[in-house]
Amino acid sequence: MKKFLTVLLILLLLLAGAFAAAVVTVKKLASPVLTTDDGTKIRFEVPNGMSVSEAGKELEADGLIRNKKLFYYSARYPKLKSFLYGKDSGTAFVLRSGIYYISPSMNIAEIQNVLSSGQQEYIKVSLPEGLTISKIAAELEEQNICAASEFIAVCKNADFAAACGISGETCEGFLFPDTYFLTAGMSAEAVAKIMIDNFFAKIQEIPTLVAMNSADLYNTVKLASIVEREYRVEDEAPLIASVFKNRLRRNIGLYSCATVEYILTEILGRPHPERILIEDTKIDNPYNTYVWAGLPPGPISNPGLVALRASADTPKTNYYFFQIVDPAAGRHVFTTSFEEHIESHSLYTKSNKK
């Protein structure tokens, strides 16, 4: 009996030793890869649908954890995490998609807390006034937000435009120029909706626009899109709008170089011209305001608040003409008669470079 107890004691001691060794090993595997924080941060992406085991595998491959299986089991069994890191770490783990920056000095519990946050890496995208759908699409693709073709398809979908409260066939004119903080891989529809919602939020600053019905708003945006591409100096935008409105009232062609430029670049796919030629003004296209009186079928750019306000709250003038007189400063001269206008006639277009 004494011999049996001795053997049993030895076995218990061995088991205890093995257990203690196992605990030491597990705690070692649960410890951070780096014992001190040297400021290193590694970008770690969790796409939609990634499993916990897949995340653990990639974390181990990236050198952020010591053992992928321990990451998985501590995520699945909160009590194990409590044992390793304390009772405050015993909450259930939910892996959320996002882009994270993780330090190798973080332990598994800390990493899991970060991966549960759903935080995102935002990409700053600045869109100046006057860009078209296609140019915005190119910028979004360059920044890896979404494919240009997908964004163009969404913005030129009449059903989508109608669902967003736009009277026209496309979203041109309603993609508000602003600085946006977006994420890689967003859906084109989500990006377009953000810009359109921003448009309707920003025009709250212009009561005249807010009071308009959908059709009148659309026509005002058409006009603003032309004013946006014509004015160079902010204080001249209302005067340019007044010229166009005077011409519209008398059913005179707007004679806007910007509409011809839209045909050349957006419809015919040519490079942005440095100068509009006489033959360009004769192109038979409904957007050509040299050939057709009235507003074009749709906006030719996405205007900002200056052009929108100028087109909504336009001063009354007797001007029917304007022309550039100082290309460097962007200044125009405004005249009431064709005779005054023809004295120093020259055709320029507003630069469309970023």
Side-chain angles (χ1 to χ4, degrees), residues 104-177:
S105 65
M106 297 167 66
N107 63 38
I108 286 177
E110 292 169 333
I111 292 174
Q112 289 178 355
N113 285 340
V114 172
L115 298 183
S116 292
S117 68
Q119 67 187 35
Q120 295 284 337
E121 175 190 49
Y122 291 101
I123 301 170
K124 182 179 179 181
V125 180
S126 295
L127 302 175
E129 294 85 352
L131 296 186
T132 58
I133 288 173
S134 66
K135 290 180 174 60
I136 292 174
E139 180 67 18
L140 293 171
E141 182 168 280
E142 185 177 332
Q143 297 287 348
N144 296 316
I145 305 300
C146 62
S149 59
E150 293 177 4
F151 186 79
I152 291 171
V154 166
C155 291
K156 292 190 176 182
N157 184 299
D159 291 336
F160 177 76
C164 292
I166 299 170
S167 292
E169 295 294 309
T170 77
C171 301
E172 192 83 89
F174 292 81
L175 304 171
F176 194 79

Side-chain angles (χ1 to χ4, degrees), residues 225-227 229-232 240 244 247 253-265 272-278 280-281 283 287-291 300 322-324 332 341 345-350:
S225 74
I226 300 173
V227 173
R229 298 299 304 138
E230 291 282 5
Y231 89 88
R232 306 281 189 89
I240 290 175
F244 289 143
R247 296 178 76 85
L254 299 184
Y255 279 47
S256 167
C257 298
T259 62
V260 178
E261 177 211 332
Y262 183 82
I263 297 169
L264 296 175
T265 61
H272 184 272
E274 293 298 323
R275 183 185 295 267
I276 297 296
L277 305 176
I278 295 299
D280 296 329
T281 66
I283 297 173
Y287 278 88
N288 189 350
T289 54
Y290 280 84
V291 175
I300 64 166
F322 67 92
Q323 59 186 312
I324 193 86
H332 295 81
H341 174 68
H345 185 68
S346 181
L347 297 176
Y348 291 85
T349 60
K350 185 175 179 181

Side-chain angles (χ1 to χ4, degrees), residues 193-204:
K193 191 70 167 58
I194 288 171
M195 295 178 184
I196 294 166
D197 287 346
N198 192 25
F199 170 89
F200 285 106
K202 288 295 176 65
I203 66 169
Q204 298 302 310

Side-chain angles (χ1 to χ4, degrees), residues 50-70:
M50 174 179 267
S51 68
V52 174
S53 59
E54 289 171 338
K57 183 178 179 180
E58 290 197 19
L59 286 166
E60 184 180 292
D62 289 345
L64 291 167
I65 61 173
R66 296 179 183 274
N67 188 273
K68 61 186 178 184
K69 290 184 178 179
L70 189 59

Side-chain angles (χ1 to χ4, degrees), residues 170-189:
T170 77
C171 301
E172 192 83 89
F174 292 81
L175 304 171
F176 194 79
D178 207 342
T179 296
Y180 294 93
F181 293 89
L182 308 171
T183 59
M186 290 182 69
S187 72
E189 185 171 317

